[in-house]
Amino acid sequence: MNTTGSKVVEGKAKPRGKYPHIKRAGDFLFVSGTSSRRADDTIAGAEVDEFGTARLDIRAQTHAVLDNIRDILRSADSELEDVVEITSYLVNMNDFAGYNEVYGEYFGYDGPARTTVAVRQLPHPHLLIEIRALAYKPVK
């Protein structure tokens, strides 16, 4: 990616629409809303038993989302330390404590500005969280 450009990152879940995982605009990198969906379309932090009962884990999903964002940023020679803003979307605010606990393993008070909002649903019923990120990484 030069001063502008878009990229779908190899080895990550294919976007469910016609948009990139990451887009550069000058010195800024915009990471599209990212979930815990894997490249094989399974969802980290979601287990369904033989009876169809789903067990969803906000901590596992948050780890997977932030790891996915880290990998997407690395595809553009950037790191989580370059993130200046995060917007998180939770299906259930009762999951806030678990999400917040994991988030604190990745970022501290010197990390990005953050907004967390509740949404009615995400594109798959087993997704509890989606995060978008904005990073500042000057073009060399």
Side-chain angles (χ1 to χ4, degrees), residues 31-35 58 61-62 65 86-93 95 99 114-123 127-133:
V31 178
S32 295
T34 302
S35 72
I58 189 61
Q61 286 197 22
T62 304
V65 171
I86 290 274
T87 305
S88 300
Y89 305 91
L90 294 177
V91 173
N92 186 336
M93 275 298 172
D95 287 333
Y99 143 74
R114 183 182 92 176
T115 301
T116 304
V117 297
V119 295
R120 186 167 178 256
Q121 63 186 27
L122 290 168
L127 293 176
L128 300 173
I129 184 169
E130 182 173 295
I131 298 177
R132 66 182 293 271

Short mmCIF file of all heavy atoms in Angstrom, two decimals, residues 31-35 58 61-62 65 86-93 95 99 114-123 127-133:
data_model
loop_
_atom_site.label_atom_id
_atom_site.label_comp_id
_atom_site.label_asym_id
_atom_site.label_seq_id
_atom_site.Cartn_x
_atom_site.Cartn_y
_atom_site.Cartn_z
N VAL A 31 -9.31 0.31 9.35
CA VAL A 31 -9.60 -1.11 9.38
C VAL A 31 -11.11 -1.27 9.46
O VAL A 31 -11.75 -0.75 10.38
CB VAL A 31 -8.93 -1.82 10.59
CG1 VAL A 31 -9.29 -3.30 10.61
CG2 VAL A 31 -7.41 -1.63 10.53
N SER A 32 -11.68 -1.96 8.48
CA SER A 32 -13.13 -2.18 8.45
C SER A 32 -13.56 -2.95 9.69
O SER A 32 -12.74 -3.63 10.34
CB SER A 32 -13.51 -2.99 7.21
OG SER A 32 -13.24 -2.26 6.04
N GLY A 33 -14.84 -2.88 10.01
CA GLY A 33 -15.39 -3.63 11.12
C GLY A 33 -14.94 -5.08 11.04
O GLY A 33 -15.07 -5.74 10.01
N THR A 34 -14.35 -5.57 12.13
CA THR A 34 -13.73 -6.90 12.17
C THR A 34 -14.38 -7.73 13.27
O THR A 34 -14.61 -7.23 14.38
CB THR A 34 -12.22 -6.74 12.43
OG1 THR A 34 -11.66 -5.92 11.39
CG2 THR A 34 -11.52 -8.08 12.46
N SER A 35 -14.64 -8.99 12.97
CA SER A 35 -15.26 -9.90 13.94
C SER A 35 -14.28 -11.01 14.29
O SER A 35 -13.11 -10.98 13.90
CB SER A 35 -16.54 -10.49 13.35
OG SER A 35 -16.23 -11.44 12.34
N ILE A 58 -17.61 -13.96 25.11
CA ILE A 58 -17.17 -12.60 24.75
C ILE A 58 -15.67 -12.43 24.88
O ILE A 58 -15.04 -11.74 24.07
CB ILE A 58 -17.93 -11.51 25.55
CG1 ILE A 58 -17.63 -10.11 25.02
CG2 ILE A 58 -17.61 -11.60 27.04
CD1 ILE A 58 -18.02 -9.85 23.59
N GLN A 61 -14.04 -14.10 21.86
CA GLN A 61 -14.33 -13.33 20.65
C GLN A 61 -13.53 -12.03 20.63
O GLN A 61 -12.99 -11.65 19.60
CB GLN A 61 -15.83 -13.06 20.52
CG GLN A 61 -16.59 -14.31 20.11
CD GLN A 61 -17.98 -14.02 19.57
OE1 GLN A 61 -18.28 -12.93 19.10
NE2 GLN A 61 -18.84 -15.04 19.60
N THR A 62 -13.42 -11.36 21.78
CA THR A 62 -12.66 -10.10 21.82
C THR A 62 -11.19 -10.35 21.52
O THR A 62 -10.57 -9.61 20.74
CB THR A 62 -12.84 -9.41 23.19
OG1 THR A 62 -14.24 -9.21 23.43
CG2 THR A 62 -12.13 -8.07 23.22
N VAL A 65 -10.94 -10.92 17.76
CA VAL A 65 -11.13 -9.68 16.99
C VAL A 65 -9.86 -8.84 17.04
O VAL A 65 -9.38 -8.37 16.00
CB VAL A 65 -12.33 -8.88 17.52
CG1 VAL A 65 -12.39 -7.50 16.88
CG2 VAL A 65 -13.64 -9.62 17.28
N ILE A 86 -10.68 3.48 18.29
CA ILE A 86 -11.39 2.20 18.22
C ILE A 86 -12.88 2.49 18.40
O ILE A 86 -13.25 3.26 19.28
CB ILE A 86 -10.93 1.26 19.37
CG1 ILE A 86 -9.51 0.77 19.17
CG2 ILE A 86 -11.91 0.12 19.60
CD1 ILE A 86 -9.34 -0.46 18.33
N THR A 87 -13.70 1.84 17.60
CA THR A 87 -15.14 1.83 17.84
C THR A 87 -15.55 0.38 17.95
O THR A 87 -15.29 -0.42 17.05
CB THR A 87 -15.92 2.52 16.71
OG1 THR A 87 -15.43 3.84 16.53
CG2 THR A 87 -17.42 2.58 17.04
N SER A 88 -16.15 0.03 19.09
CA SER A 88 -16.57 -1.35 19.35
C SER A 88 -18.09 -1.42 19.38
O SER A 88 -18.75 -0.53 19.93
CB SER A 88 -16.02 -1.82 20.71
OG SER A 88 -14.62 -1.77 20.71
N TYR A 89 -18.60 -2.49 18.81
CA TYR A 89 -20.04 -2.72 18.74
C TYR A 89 -20.34 -4.02 19.48
O TYR A 89 -19.86 -5.08 19.09
CB TYR A 89 -20.49 -2.83 17.28
CG TYR A 89 -20.08 -1.63 16.46
CD1 TYR A 89 -18.86 -1.61 15.77
CD2 TYR A 89 -20.89 -0.51 16.40
CE1 TYR A 89 -18.47 -0.51 15.04
CE2 TYR A 89 -20.51 0.61 15.66
CZ TYR A 89 -19.30 0.61 14.99
OH TYR A 89 -18.91 1.71 14.27
N LEU A 90 -21.11 -3.92 20.56
CA LEU A 90 -21.50 -5.09 21.35
C LEU A 90 -22.99 -5.35 21.15
O LEU A 90 -23.79 -4.42 21.20
CB LEU A 90 -21.25 -4.85 22.84
CG LEU A 90 -19.82 -4.70 23.31
CD1 LEU A 90 -19.79 -4.39 24.80
CD2 LEU A 90 -19.03 -5.96 23.02
N VAL A 91 -23.35 -6.62 20.97
CA VAL A 91 -24.75 -6.99 20.85
C VAL A 91 -25.44 -6.88 22.21
O VAL A 91 -26.62 -6.56 22.30
CB VAL A 91 -24.90 -8.41 20.25
CG1 VAL A 91 -26.35 -8.87 20.28
CG2 VAL A 91 -24.37 -8.43 18.82
N ASN A 92 -24.68 -7.10 23.29
CA ASN A 92 -25.27 -7.10 24.62
C ASN A 92 -24.33 -6.38 25.59
O ASN A 92 -23.21 -6.84 25.82
CB ASN A 92 -25.51 -8.54 25.09
CG ASN A 92 -26.25 -8.63 26.40
OD1 ASN A 92 -26.26 -7.72 27.20
ND2 ASN A 92 -26.88 -9.78 26.61
N MET A 93 -24.77 -5.28 26.16
CA MET A 93 -23.93 -4.53 27.09
C MET A 93 -23.63 -5.31 28.37
O MET A 93 -22.74 -4.94 29.13
CB MET A 93 -24.53 -3.17 27.42
CG MET A 93 -24.19 -2.11 26.41
SD MET A 93 -22.41 -1.82 26.31
CE MET A 93 -22.36 -0.73 24.90
N ASP A 95 -22.11 -7.91 28.26
CA ASP A 95 -20.79 -8.45 27.93
C ASP A 95 -19.67 -7.42 28.10
O ASP A 95 -18.50 -7.72 27.88
CB ASP A 95 -20.76 -8.95 26.48
CG ASP A 95 -21.53 -10.24 26.28
OD1 ASP A 95 -21.65 -11.02 27.25
OD2 ASP A 95 -22.01 -10.47 25.15
N TYR A 99 -15.49 -7.99 27.79
CA TYR A 99 -14.85 -7.31 26.66
C TYR A 99 -13.79 -6.33 27.17
O TYR A 99 -12.66 -6.29 26.71
CB TYR A 99 -15.92 -6.62 25.81
CG TYR A 99 -15.55 -5.29 25.23
CD1 TYR A 99 -14.68 -5.19 24.15
CD2 TYR A 99 -16.10 -4.11 25.73
CE1 TYR A 99 -14.36 -3.96 23.60
CE2 TYR A 99 -15.79 -2.89 25.19
CZ TYR A 99 -14.91 -2.81 24.14
OH TYR A 99 -14.59 -1.61 23.59
N ARG A 114 -11.58 5.58 22.48
CA ARG A 114 -12.47 4.44 22.26
C ARG A 114 -13.92 4.84 22.50
O ARG A 114 -14.23 5.59 23.41
CB ARG A 114 -12.10 3.31 23.20
CG ARG A 114 -12.95 2.06 23.00
CD ARG A 114 -12.57 0.98 23.98
NE ARG A 114 -13.40 1.07 25.17
CZ ARG A 114 -13.35 0.21 26.18
NH1 ARG A 114 -12.50 -0.80 26.16
NH2 ARG A 114 -14.13 0.35 27.22
N THR A 115 -14.79 4.27 21.67
CA THR A 115 -16.22 4.37 21.86
C THR A 115 -16.78 2.96 21.78
O THR A 115 -16.38 2.18 20.92
CB THR A 115 -16.87 5.23 20.75
OG1 THR A 115 -16.28 6.53 20.78
CG2 THR A 115 -18.37 5.33 20.92
N THR A 116 -17.69 2.63 22.69
CA THR A 116 -18.35 1.33 22.68
C THR A 116 -19.85 1.57 22.64
O THR A 116 -20.37 2.33 23.46
CB THR A 116 -17.99 0.51 23.94
OG1 THR A 116 -16.56 0.40 24.01
CG2 THR A 116 -18.61 -0.87 23.90
N VAL A 117 -20.50 0.95 21.68
CA VAL A 117 -21.95 1.12 21.54
C VAL A 117 -22.63 -0.24 21.48
O VAL A 117 -22.03 -1.24 21.09
CB VAL A 117 -22.31 1.94 20.28
CG1 VAL A 117 -21.77 3.35 20.38
CG2 VAL A 117 -21.80 1.27 19.02
N ALA A 118 -23.89 -0.25 21.88
CA ALA A 118 -24.71 -1.46 21.76
C ALA A 118 -25.42 -1.43 20.42
O ALA A 118 -25.89 -0.38 19.97
CB ALA A 118 -25.74 -1.51 22.89
N VAL A 119 -25.48 -2.59 19.78
CA VAL A 119 -26.20 -2.73 18.51
C VAL A 119 -27.20 -3.87 18.66
O VAL A 119 -27.04 -4.75 19.50
CB VAL A 119 -25.25 -3.01 17.33
CG1 VAL A 119 -24.33 -1.83 17.08
CG2 VAL A 119 -24.44 -4.28 17.54
N ARG A 120 -28.23 -3.82 17.87
CA ARG A 120 -29.27 -4.85 17.95
C ARG A 120 -28.77 -6.21 17.52
O ARG A 120 -29.09 -7.24 18.11
CB ARG A 120 -30.46 -4.42 17.10
CG ARG A 120 -31.64 -5.34 17.23
CD ARG A 120 -32.87 -4.71 16.62
NE ARG A 120 -33.97 -5.64 16.71
CZ ARG A 120 -34.42 -6.34 15.68
NH1 ARG A 120 -33.87 -6.20 14.49
NH2 ARG A 120 -35.41 -7.18 15.84
N GLN A 121 -27.97 -6.24 16.44
CA GLN A 121 -27.42 -7.50 15.96
C GLN A 121 -26.25 -7.24 15.03
O GLN A 121 -26.05 -6.12 14.56
CB GLN A 121 -28.49 -8.34 15.25
CG GLN A 121 -29.05 -7.71 13.99
CD GLN A 121 -30.20 -8.52 13.41
OE1 GLN A 121 -30.89 -9.22 14.14
NE2 GLN A 121 -30.40 -8.43 12.13
N LEU A 122 -25.48 -8.30 14.78
CA LEU A 122 -24.36 -8.26 13.84
C LEU A 122 -24.68 -9.26 12.72
O LEU A 122 -25.69 -9.96 12.79
CB LEU A 122 -23.06 -8.60 14.57
CG LEU A 122 -22.60 -7.50 15.54
CD1 LEU A 122 -21.48 -7.99 16.45
CD2 LEU A 122 -22.17 -6.26 14.79
N PRO A 123 -23.86 -9.34 11.67
CA PRO A 123 -24.20 -10.16 10.50
C PRO A 123 -24.34 -11.67 10.72
O PRO A 123 -24.76 -12.37 9.81
CB PRO A 123 -23.07 -9.87 9.51
CG PRO A 123 -22.58 -8.53 9.88
CD PRO A 123 -22.71 -8.47 11.37
N LEU A 127 -22.12 -13.87 16.55
CA LEU A 127 -21.16 -12.79 16.78
C LEU A 127 -21.66 -11.89 17.91
O LEU A 127 -22.80 -11.40 17.87
CB LEU A 127 -20.96 -11.95 15.52
CG LEU A 127 -20.28 -12.66 14.35
CD1 LEU A 127 -20.23 -11.75 13.13
CD2 LEU A 127 -18.87 -13.11 14.74
N LEU A 128 -20.81 -11.69 18.90
CA LEU A 128 -21.13 -10.83 20.04
C LEU A 128 -20.52 -9.44 19.91
O LEU A 128 -20.96 -8.50 20.56
CB LEU A 128 -20.62 -11.46 21.34
CG LEU A 128 -21.18 -12.83 21.71
CD1 LEU A 128 -20.45 -13.38 22.93
CD2 LEU A 128 -22.67 -12.73 21.97
N ILE A 129 -19.47 -9.33 19.08
CA ILE A 129 -18.69 -8.09 19.01
C ILE A 129 -18.11 -7.89 17.62
O ILE A 129 -17.78 -8.84 16.92
CB ILE A 129 -17.55 -8.11 20.06
CG1 ILE A 129 -16.78 -6.79 20.08
CG2 ILE A 129 -16.64 -9.31 19.88
CD1 ILE A 129 -15.82 -6.66 21.26
N GLU A 130 -18.01 -6.62 17.24
CA GLU A 130 -17.30 -6.20 16.03
C GLU A 130 -16.56 -4.93 16.40
O GLU A 130 -17.06 -4.11 17.18
CB GLU A 130 -18.28 -5.94 14.89
CG GLU A 130 -17.62 -5.55 13.59
CD GLU A 130 -18.61 -5.47 12.44
OE1 GLU A 130 -19.16 -6.52 12.07
OE2 GLU A 130 -18.81 -4.36 11.92
N ILE A 131 -15.35 -4.78 15.88
CA ILE A 131 -14.54 -3.59 16.18
C ILE A 131 -13.99 -3.02 14.87
O ILE A 131 -13.53 -3.76 14.01
CB ILE A 131 -13.37 -3.93 17.13
CG1 ILE A 131 -13.90 -4.44 18.47
CG2 ILE A 131 -12.47 -2.70 17.35
CD1 ILE A 131 -12.81 -4.88 19.45
N ARG A 132 -14.02 -1.69 14.77
CA ARG A 132 -13.34 -1.00 13.66
C ARG A 132 -12.23 -0.18 14.27
O ARG A 132 -12.31 0.23 15.44
CB ARG A 132 -14.30 -0.14 12.85
CG ARG A 132 -14.88 1.03 13.62
CD ARG A 132 -15.86 1.86 12.82
NE ARG A 132 -15.23 2.56 11.72
CZ ARG A 132 -14.71 3.78 11.81
NH1 ARG A 132 -14.74 4.44 12.95
NH2 ARG A 132 -14.16 4.35 10.77
N ALA A 133 -11.17 0.06 13.51
CA ALA A 133 -10.00 0.76 14.05
C ALA A 133 -9.46 1.77 13.05
O ALA A 133 -9.58 1.60 11.83
CB ALA A 133 -8.91 -0.24 14.41
#
